[in-house]
Structures are given as C-alpha cells and as structure tokens.
Amino acid sequence: MGETRMVPVFYNKDAEVAKQVVKACYEGGVRAFEFTNRGDFAHEVFAEVMKFVRTECPELALGVGSIVDAPTASLYIQMGADFVVGPLFNPDVAKVCNRRNVPYTPGCGTVSEVGQAQEMGCDLIKVFPGDVLGPKFVKGLMAPMPWTKLMVTGGVEPTEENLNAWKKAGVYCVGMGSKLFPNDRVAAQDWAYVTEKCRESIALMK
C-alpha cells in the first residue's frame, strides 16, 4: 500500500470477472487489492480469486473489505486474506487479526476512533466515508498526530484534482472503488481501461 499508494476496492459475484479485474489492476501496477465482502457467497468467490492470485499475480497482497465482525474476519483469514479492512472499528476484529499477525485497517470517522484503533494495534486507519469527511478532516487530524497513516475510501476519484487534494492533506494511500470500475466498462470487459486507470492513478499518487 505504501509503495503504490492506491488500493482498488471491488466486488463481483462472478469469480471469473473478479479474476480478470484483479489481473487488469495487477498489470497496471497494483500490488494491494481489496475484495469486498458484499454479496451472498462472497467468501466462495474470494477463495477462487485467492487461488488465482497466488499463481497469476505472485506479488499481489489480496485483502478483504467490508468486515464488521470477528467471525467473518476469521473466515477470510483462514482462506488466506493478506489484510482485513472494515467500514467501522471493531476491537474484536483487531484481536483476531493481531493473533494471526494480519493487518487490520478499520474505518474511522473521528479523531478519537483513530486513536482507539491505534491503541488496538492498527497501523493503517481507513478514513470513511471520505467524500463526507473530506481532505480538511485528514489535514486537521495529521497536525496533532503526524505519525498517523491514513487510507481514505469513499468517493475517491481517479482524477488529478481529487487525488492531489488527498495527497496534500497527508493521506498514506487511497482506496478506489466504483470510480475506477464503471459498470459499463466491466460489463463490456474493457480490462485495458481498468489497467490504464490504475496506472494513471498510481502515477498521480506517487
């Protein structure tokens, strides 16, 4: 995450589509990818994608997102998740991840939540929802807590203006979902578009 400074966030119920999206991102320079736990049997799709990644994308860290409870975190860790991300902070998830030495990035929306997550061993904190909190929240937090590593997710766009605003505020990296994977492009299997957008976004963040 620190190397590329951009993490794609994606879910699709079709494992084959998910594999192609991951591969397209990998070819665009992505080295950390967040598969979100969003639909029925999402864990089964994740298992298929993980097996694919281990052979086709050997340098990729594949993590799971949208995790809100410890049992679900345990399920994905058992299937090889390299990191766990959530929309909220749950100390029980931190305990499970710490026990297995798997990084946990919880979603926080206040300075106090960020502090509590750090006390529970979270090295990277997710600012969520990013489009609601805005770059000013990040800048304000970083002033008294400059050691903090933040990943902002929610409303982040693969544009120079948007990414520069987050960079200047002091984020460690950004998570990008729907803006990076427009439904029409995915439906058309336009993987070249995805690869190029990843390449552009990583270059802008660097």
Side-chain angles (χ1 to χ4, degrees):
M1 294 176 181
E3 178 189 334
T4 61
R5 301 191 68 191
M6 189 276 281
V7 180
V9 179
F10 182 78
Y11 168 77
N12 194 288
K13 64 181 180 180
D14 187 331
E16 294 307 314
V17 171
K19 289 176 188 177
Q20 293 306 312
V21 167
V22 171
K23 183 69 171 177
C25 291
Y26 188 74
E27 292 177 351
V30 167
R31 290 298 178 267
F33 189 102
E34 177 188 330
F35 179 87
T36 54
N37 176 49
R38 291 283 174 89
D40 293 337
F41 305 106
H43 64 287
E44 294 183 4
V45 178
F46 179 84
E48 290 298 311
V49 176
M50 178 59 78
K51 292 172 186 174
F52 173 82
V53 163
R54 289 294 185 252
T55 57
E56 301 298 321
C57 311
E59 296 178 11
L60 184 72
L62 179 63
V64 62
S66 299
I67 300 300
V68 299
D69 55 55
T72 308
S74 297
L75 175 66
Y76 279 93
I77 289 172
Q78 191 65 27
M79 289 187 290
D82 293 310
F83 58 91
V84 173
V85 181
L88 50 78
F89 171 52
N90 184 336
D92 291 337
V93 175
K95 291 176 183 177
V96 167
C97 290
N98 287 342
R99 184 179 297 119
R100 294 288 293 273
N101 202 27
V102 173
Y104 172 41
T105 297
C108 297
T110 69
V111 177
S112 293
E113 281 183 329
V114 171
Q116 290 165 1
Q118 289 173 333
E119 288 176 2
M120 289 296 295
C122 301
D123 294 325
L124 179 66
I125 312 295
K126 180 167 101 168
V127 171
F128 181 79
D131 50 356
V132 175
L133 296 167
K136 288 183 178 179
F137 172 81
V138 173
K139 186 177 181 180
L141 184 152
M142 293 297 291
M145 301 164 67
W147 58 83
T148 304
K149 291 181 179 178
L150 299 173
M151 173 174 75
V152 61
T153 306
V156 179
E157 301 175 12
T159 64
E160 186 171 3
E161 180 183 11
N162 188 270
L163 294 179
N164 275 342
W166 291 114
K167 266 199 311 184
K168 289 177 181 176
V171 299
Y172 184 72
C173 61
V174 298
M176 260 192 282
S178 58
K179 305 291 185 181
L180 196 60
F181 311 107
N183 290 332
D184 57 337
R185 297 284 186 170
V186 173
Q189 298 188 4
D190 187 357
W191 310 133
Y193 172 88
V194 174
T195 296
E196 186 54 34
K197 278 297 172 186
C198 287
R199 190 173 288 122
E200 288 176 7
S201 299
I202 290 172
L204 286 170
M205 286 304 293
K206 286 187 174 182

